[in-house]
Amino acid sequence: MTIEEIREFSDSALTAKLEDSYRDLMNLRFRIATRQIQNVHLPRATRKDIARIKTIMTERGIGQA
């Protein structure tokens, strides 16, 4: 997912996508641990997507206390 694609999401869609990405990351870790997946580079790509989403959220001021 590119940064341009992430910028097109609305604020609520960004929050939902972030939660989904965290859930996907957890599932990928389980699948790697049980050797159900061969591509061990997928968690890294998912972490980068999470970082991109958090960057856009910070730019927009979403989720600040």
PDB file of all heavy atoms in Angstrom, residues 6 43-53:
ATOM      1  N   ILE A   6      -3.102   5.636   1.038  1.00  0.00           N
ATOM      2  CA  ILE A   6      -3.475   5.835   2.433  1.00  0.00           C
ATOM      3  C   ILE A   6      -4.046   7.236   2.633  1.00  0.00           C
ATOM      4  O   ILE A   6      -4.991   7.425   3.389  1.00  0.00           O
ATOM      5  CB  ILE A   6      -2.268   5.592   3.357  1.00  0.00           C
ATOM      6  CG1 ILE A   6      -1.843   4.130   3.264  1.00  0.00           C
ATOM      7  CG2 ILE A   6      -2.590   5.934   4.798  1.00  0.00           C
ATOM      8  CD1 ILE A   6      -0.554   3.803   3.962  1.00  0.00           C
ATOM      9  N   PRO A  43       5.388  -9.898   7.458  1.00  0.00           N
ATOM     10  CA  PRO A  43       5.236  -9.058   8.659  1.00  0.00           C
ATOM     11  C   PRO A  43       5.963  -7.717   8.544  1.00  0.00           C
ATOM     12  O   PRO A  43       5.468  -6.698   9.010  1.00  0.00           O
ATOM     13  CB  PRO A  43       5.822  -9.903   9.781  1.00  0.00           C
ATOM     14  CG  PRO A  43       5.669 -11.291   9.313  1.00  0.00           C
ATOM     15  CD  PRO A  43       5.869 -11.232   7.822  1.00  0.00           C
ATOM     16  N   ARG A  44       7.101  -7.720   7.888  1.00  0.00           N
ATOM     17  CA  ARG A  44       7.843  -6.469   7.724  1.00  0.00           C
ATOM     18  C   ARG A  44       7.046  -5.478   6.871  1.00  0.00           C
ATOM     19  O   ARG A  44       6.951  -4.297   7.202  1.00  0.00           O
ATOM     20  CB  ARG A  44       9.192  -6.742   7.083  1.00  0.00           C
ATOM     21  CG  ARG A  44      10.026  -5.502   6.927  1.00  0.00           C
ATOM     22  CD  ARG A  44      11.386  -5.818   6.379  1.00  0.00           C
ATOM     23  NE  ARG A  44      12.177  -4.600   6.355  1.00  0.00           N
ATOM     24  CZ  ARG A  44      13.313  -4.476   5.723  1.00  0.00           C
ATOM     25  NH1 ARG A  44      13.827  -5.509   5.092  1.00  0.00           N
ATOM     26  NH2 ARG A  44      13.968  -3.350   5.731  1.00  0.00           N
ATOM     27  N   ALA A  45       6.446  -5.961   5.795  1.00  0.00           N
ATOM     28  CA  ALA A  45       5.631  -5.095   4.942  1.00  0.00           C
ATOM     29  C   ALA A  45       4.408  -4.588   5.701  1.00  0.00           C
ATOM     30  O   ALA A  45       4.015  -3.421   5.548  1.00  0.00           O
ATOM     31  CB  ALA A  45       5.201  -5.855   3.693  1.00  0.00           C
ATOM     32  N   THR A  46       3.834  -5.432   6.539  1.00  0.00           N
ATOM     33  CA  THR A  46       2.670  -5.024   7.326  1.00  0.00           C
ATOM     34  C   THR A  46       3.059  -3.971   8.353  1.00  0.00           C
ATOM     35  O   THR A  46       2.331  -3.006   8.570  1.00  0.00           O
ATOM     36  CB  THR A  46       2.043  -6.249   8.016  1.00  0.00           C
ATOM     37  OG1 THR A  46       1.738  -7.227   7.029  1.00  0.00           O
ATOM     38  CG2 THR A  46       0.782  -5.871   8.751  1.00  0.00           C
ATOM     39  N   ARG A  47       4.220  -4.137   8.984  1.00  0.00           N
ATOM     40  CA  ARG A  47       4.694  -3.130   9.939  1.00  0.00           C
ATOM     41  C   ARG A  47       4.931  -1.788   9.251  1.00  0.00           C
ATOM     42  O   ARG A  47       4.656  -0.730   9.814  1.00  0.00           O
ATOM     43  CB  ARG A  47       5.973  -3.601  10.630  1.00  0.00           C
ATOM     44  CG  ARG A  47       5.746  -4.617  11.710  1.00  0.00           C
ATOM     45  CD  ARG A  47       6.949  -4.802  12.606  1.00  0.00           C
ATOM     46  NE  ARG A  47       8.211  -4.947  11.902  1.00  0.00           N
ATOM     47  CZ  ARG A  47       8.753  -6.121  11.545  1.00  0.00           C
ATOM     48  NH1 ARG A  47       8.126  -7.246  11.824  1.00  0.00           N
ATOM     49  NH2 ARG A  47       9.911  -6.160  10.920  1.00  0.00           N
ATOM     50  N   LYS A  48       5.434  -1.834   8.025  1.00  0.00           N
ATOM     51  CA  LYS A  48       5.643  -0.589   7.283  1.00  0.00           C
ATOM     52  C   LYS A  48       4.321   0.076   6.954  1.00  0.00           C
ATOM     53  O   LYS A  48       4.206   1.305   7.001  1.00  0.00           O
ATOM     54  CB  LYS A  48       6.440  -0.860   6.002  1.00  0.00           C
ATOM     55  CG  LYS A  48       7.898  -1.126   6.272  1.00  0.00           C
ATOM     56  CD  LYS A  48       8.662  -1.249   4.991  1.00  0.00           C
ATOM     57  CE  LYS A  48      10.149  -1.428   5.270  1.00  0.00           C
ATOM     58  NZ  LYS A  48      10.937  -1.398   4.037  1.00  0.00           N
ATOM     59  N   ASP A  49       3.309  -0.718   6.612  1.00  0.00           N
ATOM     60  CA  ASP A  49       1.979  -0.154   6.368  1.00  0.00           C
ATOM     61  C   ASP A  49       1.433   0.505   7.630  1.00  0.00           C
ATOM     62  O   ASP A  49       0.838   1.584   7.566  1.00  0.00           O
ATOM     63  CB  ASP A  49       1.007  -1.237   5.886  1.00  0.00           C
ATOM     64  CG  ASP A  49       1.260  -1.650   4.450  1.00  0.00           C
ATOM     65  OD1 ASP A  49       1.927  -0.893   3.709  1.00  0.00           O
ATOM     66  OD2 ASP A  49       0.781  -2.737   4.061  1.00  0.00           O
ATOM     67  N   ILE A  50       1.641  -0.144   8.772  1.00  0.00           N
ATOM     68  CA  ILE A  50       1.192   0.429  10.050  1.00  0.00           C
ATOM     69  C   ILE A  50       1.892   1.763  10.294  1.00  0.00           C
ATOM     70  O   ILE A  50       1.258   2.743  10.696  1.00  0.00           O
ATOM     71  CB  ILE A  50       1.443  -0.556  11.208  1.00  0.00           C
ATOM     72  CG1 ILE A  50       0.490  -1.754  11.091  1.00  0.00           C
ATOM     73  CG2 ILE A  50       1.298   0.132  12.559  1.00  0.00           C
ATOM     74  CD1 ILE A  50       0.797  -2.883  12.034  1.00  0.00           C
ATOM     75  N   ALA A  51       3.175   1.822  10.020  1.00  0.00           N
ATOM     76  CA  ALA A  51       3.926   3.060  10.214  1.00  0.00           C
ATOM     77  C   ALA A  51       3.417   4.161   9.286  1.00  0.00           C
ATOM     78  O   ALA A  51       3.293   5.318   9.700  1.00  0.00           O
ATOM     79  CB  ALA A  51       5.414   2.812   9.981  1.00  0.00           C
ATOM     80  N   ARG A  52       3.103   3.798   8.043  1.00  0.00           N
ATOM     81  CA  ARG A  52       2.570   4.790   7.110  1.00  0.00           C
ATOM     82  C   ARG A  52       1.222   5.320   7.580  1.00  0.00           C
ATOM     83  O   ARG A  52       0.959   6.527   7.515  1.00  0.00           O
ATOM     84  CB  ARG A  52       2.426   4.171   5.720  1.00  0.00           C
ATOM     85  CG  ARG A  52       3.738   3.926   5.027  1.00  0.00           C
ATOM     86  CD  ARG A  52       3.518   3.380   3.631  1.00  0.00           C
ATOM     87  NE  ARG A  52       4.777   3.007   3.040  1.00  0.00           N
ATOM     88  CZ  ARG A  52       5.135   1.744   2.767  1.00  0.00           C
ATOM     89  NH1 ARG A  52       4.298   0.756   3.009  1.00  0.00           N
ATOM     90  NH2 ARG A  52       6.308   1.493   2.238  1.00  0.00           N
ATOM     91  N   ILE A  53       0.367   4.422   8.046  1.00  0.00           N
ATOM     92  CA  ILE A  53      -0.955   4.839   8.531  1.00  0.00           C
ATOM     93  C   ILE A  53      -0.809   5.756   9.739  1.00  0.00           C
ATOM     94  O   ILE A  53      -1.467   6.791   9.831  1.00  0.00           O
ATOM     95  CB  ILE A  53      -1.816   3.609   8.867  1.00  0.00           C
ATOM     96  CG1 ILE A  53      -2.157   2.845   7.590  1.00  0.00           C
ATOM     97  CG2 ILE A  53      -3.082   4.015   9.601  1.00  0.00           C
ATOM     98  CD1 ILE A  53      -2.780   1.483   7.825  1.00  0.00           C
TER      99      ILE A  53
END
